[in-house]
Amino acid sequence: MREDLKSVDPAAQALLKVGAQKKIETSFERAEKLKPCPIGHQGACCKMCHMGPCRLVGKEDEAMGVCGASLPVVTARNFARMVAAGTAAHSDHARDLANTLLAVAQGEAKDFQIKDVRKLNRVAGYLGINVEGKSVNEVAEKVALKFLEQFGQQRGELAYLSRAPKRRQEIWKKLGIAPRAIDREVVEMMHRTTMGVDQEVNNIMLGAMRTSLADGWGGSMMGTDISDILFGTPKPVKSTASLDVFKENHVNLVVHGHEPSFAEMLVVAVEDPEMTAYAKSKGAQGVNLVGMCCTANEILVRHGIATAGGFLQQELGLLTGMIEAMVVDVQCIMPAIGELSKKYHTKIITTTNKGKMKDAVHIEYDEHHAMDLAKKVVRLAIDNFPNRKKEDVVAAAVKPANMIAGFSDEYIEYMQGGLYRGSYRPLNDAIIAGRIRGVVGLAGCNNPRICQDSMHNFLARELIKNDVLVVQTGCSAHASAKAGYMTPEMALDNAGPGLREVCEAIGIPPVLHLGSCVDNSRILTIASHIAEAGGLGDDIGGLPAVGIAPEWMSEKAIAIGTYFAASGVPIIFGAGSPVSASKTLKDIMENKWWDMVTAGFYFEEDPGKILELALKLIDTAREKLKIRKYESGRFGTERVLMDMAARRAASFATPHGENT
Ligand code: NFS
């Protein structure tokens, strides 16, 4: 690990130098100048009312706010509010998609179609909707209405909880943490953490788990499913990743943020011959659409659109001087890009009333006129091409890394047996035999307080070396993609012998790109399938699986970590703990939660210790399951993950039998 570097990504390093030469500050420098408030950083600052903010310093059992709130209560409330905010963000994203699905079903959003009818029917099944004799649009309408109901229903529980293993559902019921409705859990969490309501630490944390489950098994899972229904379920696609995916002779248009609908329209619009002709009339050869952050992941896994990387790349991208327009919507958009764009010819285009920005052009997206608006944006970018200043242009001069992305849970099932025999059993067998030691979901953000990508890359490399299959989402996936880890060849050279054999048999990378952060819900689905496939217990809790977010910064990451723990997957976060002020809270999350939900939530800053802990958790789970003790290079005699269907799958055919 290089402590002296701001990033391990050579393209980022090159652009950071450009920034330094031009005396342009980015979040990397601001993070150095602006140290976090130590009291707030550890979760010991209470600003729920105007008697404070109270800074609870001193001994844990003595520190107290003006109202008498104890340190553990304050820390728990702060944590729970982060969960609520993260849940709100993912779920509001899903709400917009549900409204789009409804508009499409009702014939009001004519530029979209239902791309994956098979998935629509599968989802209808989960929701108890009978599809017999109904047209595609009729089913889609019922599905959309049922989804919208999930936000505000006053009775019952979230429909998707039934997708979890029975054991897990029982645990949630017993603890009283089965979420009732998405909005209700977020609202209730805001209520119970306001001044003078919930004063019992364990109860606040149970509430946090219930709220987070409304994200994982609610908003996020819905977001993933609706995107698949409307835009297609991902299957492996080739692409490239780097800050150097911008083209000097093209109009460069970046989509940055999270919601995929408008980006999907832009993917079509930039290919329109009318747009290419218009670009040529302005001296460019065409329009180069590039993704950033989670919008990048959405259009990468479905269309193979190149990615410029994750959260910390947004300012660096502008420093290339080659971006004509950056279209943003919601979440992880740095306010700094508005001011920075003024130093260049780049136009920032905001597209939602929820997220406006000073110094940006506002073109409000509306799914009812999606294509017209997409073309308007593309034209604006093209019109800006002649304004590009030659002297501003810097190429990072780092060859973009090749990658394969697009491993949906459906595809992972398909690749283990083909369309009609798809199953998770071969994966379970590989785990039981010790070829695969365990599975790690490596996810989450970048954070300028940590050398960019250093922990993501270190952990991905070390985990595969130790025969751990790595599944990735969000900015962590960008980190591996840029480093070139998402190719089948990576397995040959770097994976442990067992994992390498499995990857070779199917022709997959040892590091699988599952999509955006809402697509962490795919990991929940995979974990449920593994539990149901047999041989590894009957619950998600107890599987040799761990979730890690080593460079996290967002409230959304906290919501994700909490719903994984509440679902039975132990979680390790790097980048400092927002609950470190309270030993009581640390004990609840690291120990008591094991008794309650068969998983703990750990904060550990040292990457070596994170690795050690992850492997220990995996090995302990193996021991408890009484499966073969992991030893590198020594496997059991169980079925090898290789048969004709698996070999055929290596050609990356679609999980749904269509032609690619
Ligand atoms: Ni996830 Fe996507 Fe990245 Fe973190 Fe932000 S882009 S939703 S929150 S920073 S992984």
Side-chain angles (χ1 to χ4, degrees):
M1 204 94 348
R2 294 280 308 274
E3 300 290 338
D4 54 325
L5 286 178
K6 290 177 180 162
S7 173
V8 293
D9 171 357
Q13 288 169 0
L15 284 154
L16 280 164
K17 267 195 203 131
V18 172
Q21 277 155 11
K22 293 190 167 181
K23 300 210 171 10
I24 293 176
E25 258 187 13
T26 63
S27 60
F28 292 84
E29 290 78 33
R30 290 191 296 272
E32 276 173 354
K33 279 192 2 200
L34 193 68
K35 293 293 167 217
C37 161
I39 297 159
H41 192 69
Q42 323 166 14
C45 173
C46 181
K47 50 184 179 63
M48 296 334 178
C49 80
H50 212 56
M51 292 189 283
C54 294
R55 302 185 301 164
L56 276 72
V57 285
K59 288 200 183 122
E60 175 150 3
D61 50 357
E62 286 170 10
M64 198 176 277
V66 173
C67 69
S70 68
L71 181 53
V73 164
V74 165
T75 311
R77 288 196 305 209
N78 287 335
F79 183 87
R81 283 199 165 199
M82 291 177 94
V83 171
T87 301
H90 287 141
S91 304
D92 211 33
H93 165 154
R95 189 198 321 267
D96 281 352
L97 282 167
N99 279 318
T100 303
L101 181 64
L102 185 63
V104 174
Q106 295 178 337
E108 289 174 7
K110 298 212 180 309
D111 299 324
F112 294 102
Q113 294 105 35
I114 309 284
K115 281 226 180 106
D116 192 341
V117 176
R118 197 182 172 104
K119 177 114 188 194
L120 173 70
N121 290 339
R122 195 189 258 210
V123 165
Y126 296 142
L127 298 173
I129 293 165
N130 183 5
V131 301
E132 264 335 282
K134 292 193 184 75
S135 71
V136 169
N137 279 352
E138 281 167 351
V139 176
E141 184 180 30
K142 289 220 172 318
V143 165
L145 289 170
K146 179 77 184 176
F147 275 148
L148 287 168
E149 199 184 290
Q150 298 290 293
F151 288 90
Q153 70 184 15
Q154 298 302 316
R155 286 170 206 279
E157 288 170 359
L158 288 185
Y160 266 3
L161 299 186
S162 63
R163 291 176 61 175
K166 287 263 159 343
R167 279 262 323 115
R168 189 54 27 185
Q169 294 179 45
E170 282 160 15
I171 291 170
W172 293 335
K173 276 213 173 62
K174 200 175 117 222
L175 292 172
I177 59 170
R180 299 151 293 184
I182 297 165
D183 291 353
R184 178 168 183 180
E185 300 310 343
V186 174
V187 168
E188 187 179 296
M189 186 41 73
M190 293 308 285
H191 176 200
R192 64 201 280 176
T193 53
T194 195
M195 195 266 147
V197 185
D198 202 346
Q199 340 244 355
E200 208 275 299
V201 188
N202 200 37
N203 202 44
I204 296 169
M205 294 307 278
L206 279 169
M209 282 203 268
R210 179 156 68 182
T211 309
S212 73
L213 289 169
D215 179 348
W217 299 85
S220 282
M221 202 170 273
M222 283 164 48
T224 295
D225 282 354
I226 302 172
S227 298
D228 286 355
I229 290 168
L230 282 173
F231 316 128
T233 301
K235 48 189 182 283
V237 281
K238 287 184 180 158
S239 192
T240 52
S242 165
L243 263 173
D244 224 1
V245 289
F246 307 114
K247 294 182 185 165
E248 281 199 57
N249 49 12
H250 278 64
V251 173
N252 291 303
L253 174 60
V254 178
V255 270
H256 167 26
H258 285 79
E259 294 185 8
S261 313
F262 196 31
E264 280 285 326
M265 245 341 82
L266 287 165
V267 170
V268 181
V270 295
E271 292 299 325
D272 189 319
E274 182 197 329
M275 291 296 125
T276 313
Y278 190 51
K280 286 191 171 149
S281 78
K282 301 281 175 182
Q285 284 181 13
V287 182
N288 178 35
L289 184 73
V290 165
M292 195 167 267
C293 279
C294 278
T295 310
N297 287 325
E298 299 277 358
I299 53 175
L300 164 73
V301 296
R302 296 196 174 84
H303 305 282
I305 302 282
T307 169
F311 174 65
L312 282 184
Q313 309 279 86
Q314 52 193 300
E315 291 170 287
L316 302 182
L318 293 187
L319 293 179
T320 65
M322 279 195 273
I323 301 177
E324 271 59 53
M326 184 182 270
V327 182
V328 301
D329 57 1
V330 287
Q331 303 166 26
C332 304
I333 321 285
M334 280 195 199
I337 59 173
E339 190 61 33
L340 178 55
S341 71
K342 290 198 293 187
K343 297 191 164 65
Y344 290 88
H345 75 303
T346 308
K347 296 242 184 288
I348 307 288
I349 304 173
T350 50
T351 54
T352 165
N353 192 41
K354 283 177 222 174
K356 291 195 173 177
M357 190 188 283
K358 197 173 148 279
D359 304 314
V361 182
H362 188 72
I363 299 178
E364 194 144 323
Y365 170 63
D366 173 356
E367 64 268 18
H368 297 85
H369 313 284
M371 185 48 92
D372 288 348
L373 290 164
K375 285 190 178 167
K376 188 172 173 184
V377 163
V378 177
R379 262 189 225 105
L380 192 145
I382 295 171
D383 284 336
N384 199 22
F385 182 73
N387 298 329
R388 191 192 286 177
K389 294 184 206 105
K390 259 210 178 87
E391 64 275 18
D392 281 345
V393 173
V394 249
V398 178
K399 201 170 160 274
N402 290 324
M403 68 185 299
I404 293 174
F407 290 90
S408 54
D409 41 283
E410 285 88 347
Y411 190 85
I412 293 174
E413 185 175 37
Y414 166 78
M415 78 189 187
Q416 298 180 73
L419 190 57
Y420 300 105
R421 296 195 297 120
S423 153
Y424 273 78
R425 186 64 205 207
L427 176 61
N428 286 16
D429 286 342
I431 294 172
I432 294 164
R435 279 187 184 80
I436 294 179
R437 185 173 186 173
V439 182
V440 161
L442 187 54
C445 325
N446 285 122
N447 181 330
R449 302 208 176 276
I450 291 170
C451 172
Q452 185 195 19
D453 297 345
S454 61
M455 290 176 72
H456 292 298
N457 288 354
F458 166 78
L459 288 164
R461 273 193 321 266
E462 291 301 318
L463 287 165
I464 63 168
K465 200 190 284 172
N466 280 283
D467 290 305
V468 174
L469 177 68
V470 176
V471 292
Q472 287 206 281
T473 57
C475 291
S476 187
H478 288 298
S480 286
K482 287 183 293 165
Y485 296 175
M486 290 177 159
T487 62
E489 297 75 47
M490 180 69 185
L492 299 183
D493 301 337
N494 299 283
L499 178 62
R500 185 171 64 224
E501 194 181 302
V502 172
C503 291
E504 271 185 298
I506 320 185
I508 55 166
V511 179
L512 300 180
H513 194 315
L514 263 57
S516 64
C517 280
V518 292
D519 291 333
N520 279 310
S521 69
R522 295 192 201 278
I523 304 180
L524 292 178
T525 305
I526 290 169
S528 301
H529 286 321
I530 292 176
E532 279 150 14
L536 292 171
D538 61 352
D539 184 20
I540 298 174
L543 291 176
V546 175
I548 309 178
E551 301 181 28
W552 77 281
M553 64 85 200
S554 165
E555 292 167 317
K556 290 179 288 174
I558 291 290
I560 293 167
T562 308
Y563 75 61
F564 269 110
S567 301
V569 180
I571 288 296
I572 313 169
F573 271 37
S577 164
V579 296
S580 57
S582 166
K583 285 198 187 73
T584 310
L585 216 61
K586 188 171 148 68
D587 179 49
I588 289 175
M589 295 171 78
E590 290 187 5
N591 301 313
K592 297 215 166 61
W593 277 9
W594 275 101
D595 299 331
M596 295 157 84
V597 292
T598 359
F601 194 142
Y602 306 84
F603 288 92
E604 172 53 65
E605 291 184 46
D606 182 278
K609 287 191 181 148
I610 293 178
L611 176 70
E612 209 176 292
L613 178 57
L615 295 175
K616 190 172 142 219
L617 289 165
I618 284 172
D619 289 343
T620 310
R622 294 186 69 90
E623 208 180 302
K624 286 200 176 146
L625 286 167
K626 299 198 169 45
I627 56 175
R628 192 184 177 88
K629 189 167 188 280
Y630 166 80
E631 279 175 282
S632 177
R634 291 172 68 104
F635 321 126
T637 50
E638 287 85 347
R639 184 151 65 104
V640 180
L641 190 66
M642 179 162 52
D643 57 17
M644 275 317 287
R647 283 183 199 283
R648 269 201 304 277
S651 63
F652 299 138
T654 153
H656 295 165
E658 307 132 15
N659 291 326
T660 8

